[in-house]
Amino acid sequence: MLRVFFALLTGLWLTLGIVGASAQEAPPPGVGGELVIGTKQAAPFAIKGADGVWTGISIDLWQRIAEKLGLKYRLVEERTVEALIEGTASGKYDAAVAALTITGPRAEILDFSQPFYRTGLGIAVSLTEGSRWTVILRSMMSLGFLQAVGALIGLALLVGFLIWVFERRRNEHFGGARGIGASIWWSAEAMTQASTGVHTPITLAGRSLAILWMAVSIIAIAVFTAGVTSALTTSALQGIVTNVNDLASVRVGAISDSSSVDYLNNQRIKYRGYASAEDGLKALKAGEIDAFVYDKPLLAWIVLQQYSSSIQVLDIVFDPQNYGIGLPLGSPLRKNIDVTLLDNVHSDWWKQTLFSYLGER
């Protein structure tokens, strides 16, 4: 019995030793192992040089984090953001480091680090948006212009009807069924300060309304003329797109399945989808669209590098967005990455990094 007891004890000891050795052979991610980090070219956040070396805002930040935490890794490039997200969600990548915006749908399948850059969407427009007559024609077909014209016509019709009511029994020219047409015509002539001929109101109520209408119409026409002149001058000088509200009435382009598209869909703005920002900007330059919507820092970088003489990025930011590092759900790396990331983005090194890539102080 004693021999059997010692044999069992020896077997148990050997088993525990094997299990312990196996546990030591499976180090936590990045400690003795190698992390697989997915990325996608999106200057200035992830830039692949001709020699295959990666740089950029996101890449530089990740290198600082990995160095601080002692993580070994290798970068693997994906061609699309969708593939990068799917690969990270499935565990193919231990992290996604690129220009990755934090959105609700993405947060359902990924964990995100603390945001390291806050920005928003921007609008690119062509510096040669077509002839001035095209710009003016579009301005005259805008909702605001048509509403103003409709208001003036409505006032003229109302005054003409009231003149007919007051004059129809005592003024032969404004009487009968045909008199209402003559009354409206007289109202339009009075509004535009044209000659009203010999036919004028003769009743006290009719003449009082005529005097009031002539005074009011002078002011209405002056305001209308000034407003139209200002709008047409602004459109001719600045172009047909000057703010976010203009997107609803122009031809808009965006990258398919991007956060830009989410915003446009929510605002019920029609758009044309493109595979990349370069494709969209080429269409903008060619006059196929009037505006291209994309993440502003990425848009500004591409325009600065390739289209500085033909395209400009408007000085507006809308639909605020946060950039973060994507991780598989429940990643054990998240807490350590968050702590190190926050230390870095509040440092002088981070300020210098943003300045070197974006000129931000």
Side-chain angles (χ1 to χ4, degrees), residues 207-265:
R207 289 187 172 182
S208 299
L209 177 60
I211 293 172
L212 178 63
W213 174 231
M214 289 178 183
V216 170
S217 64
I218 291 174
I219 299 174
I221 290 294
V223 172
F224 175 77
T225 303
V228 170
T229 302
S230 176
L232 294 180
T233 302
T234 301
S235 297
L237 293 177
Q238 298 181 357
I240 59 176
V241 181
T242 58
N243 55 59
V244 179
N245 296 330
D246 294 331
L247 294 178
S249 58
V250 300
R251 299 168 299 171
V252 179
I255 297 180
S256 302
D257 300 322
S258 66
S259 56
S260 306
V261 165
D262 295 337
Y263 172 84
L264 296 174
N265 286 332

Side-chain angles (χ1 to χ4, degrees), residues 65 69 332-341:
I65 293 173
L69 297 178
L333 295 170
R334 181 177 180 180
K335 183 176 180 179
N336 289 336
I337 287 177
D338 279 344
V339 172
T340 310
L341 182 149

Side-chain angles (χ1 to χ4, degrees), residues 159-305:
V159 171
F161 174 76
L162 292 176
I163 289 293
W164 175 75
V165 170
F166 296 147
E167 300 288 320
R168 70 184 189 280
R169 294 180 179 177
R170 296 187 57 186
N171 192 327
E172 180 181 354
H173 183 71
F174 297 123
R178 298 178 60 184
I180 190 169
S183 299
I184 292 174
W185 182 256
W186 177 91
S187 175
E189 285 187 323
M191 178 182 68
T192 57
Q193 306 301 306
S195 173
T196 58
V198 296
H199 303 294
T200 60
I202 60 175
T203 65
L204 178 61
R207 289 187 172 182
S208 299
L209 177 60
I211 293 172
L212 178 63
W213 174 231
M214 289 178 183
V216 170
S217 64
I218 291 174
I219 299 174
I221 290 294
V223 172
F224 175 77
T225 303
V228 170
T229 302
S230 176
L232 294 180
T233 302
T234 301
S235 297
L237 293 177
Q238 298 181 357
I240 59 176
V241 181
T242 58
N243 55 59
V244 179
N245 296 330
D246 294 331
L247 294 178
S249 58
V250 300
R251 299 168 299 171
V252 179
I255 297 180
S256 302
D257 300 322
S258 66
S259 56
S260 306
V261 165
D262 295 337
Y263 172 84
L264 296 174
N265 286 332
N266 290 335
Q267 299 298 317
R268 295 180 175 84
I269 297 175
K270 296 181 180 180
Y271 64 89
R272 297 182 186 179
Y274 294 92
S276 66
E278 287 76 8
D279 291 340
L281 291 174
K282 287 179 182 178
L284 178 63
K285 183 179 179 181
E288 298 173 8
I289 55 177
D290 303 308
F292 185 75
V293 178
Y294 192 40
D295 295 355
K296 187 173 182 180
L298 279 67
L299 192 60
W301 173 271
I302 298 173
V303 169
L304 180 63
Q305 299 296 316

